[in-house]
């Protein structure tokens, strides 16, 4: 079975939780922190009625938090839909 990005993150967080996963300027997240935050976002989406296969639009500046949100959407079984503010 082809595993998605969120499955890879979970495995990496188990192997190297303290290693840097994403960074932008002085802000960053370890694999453990990214996994934890993505899981919290996924749970929040599910608790608010998000169902597998539903589209979730996201409009955020590039940041480690945006990466966590994208992965959280995938963990909820939803489809990430980026919104472009330039349009």
């Amino acid at each position: 079975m082809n595993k998605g990005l969120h499955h890879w993150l979970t495995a990496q967080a188990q192997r190297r939780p303290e290693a840097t996963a994403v960074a932008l300027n002085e802000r960053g997240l370890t694999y453990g922190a990214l996994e934890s935050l993505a899981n919290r976002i996924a749970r929040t989406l599910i608790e608010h009625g998000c169902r597998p296969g539903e589209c979730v639009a996201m409009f955020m500046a590039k940041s480690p938090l945006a990466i966590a949100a994208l992965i959280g959407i995938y963990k909820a079984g939803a489809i990430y839909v980026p919104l472009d503010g330039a349009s």
Side-chain angles (χ1 to χ4, degrees):
M1 176 180 208
N2 186 11
K3 292 188 177 183
L5 174 66
H6 57 293
H7 295 289
W8 179 85
L9 171 64
T10 299
Q12 194 66 1
Q14 291 171 348
R15 283 192 294 271
R16 302 180 61 214
E18 296 304 317
T20 300
V22 293
L24 179 65
N25 301 324
E26 294 84 38
R27 299 174 60 197
L29 292 171
T30 64
Y31 284 106
L34 181 58
E35 170 77 354
S36 177
L37 184 53
N39 285 338
R40 288 195 326 255
I41 291 167
R43 279 192 304 272
T44 299
L45 287 169
I46 292 166
E47 288 169 2
H48 284 87
C50 183
R51 299 289 175 243
E54 287 187 335
C55 294
V56 175
M58 188 172 88
F59 182 73
M60 293 180 74
K62 293 178 184 177
S63 68
L65 179 58
I67 298 298
L70 180 144
I71 295 170
I73 291 168
Y74 291 153
K75 284 178 170 275
I79 300 164
Y80 160 68
V81 179
L83 298 177
D84 183 2
S87 299

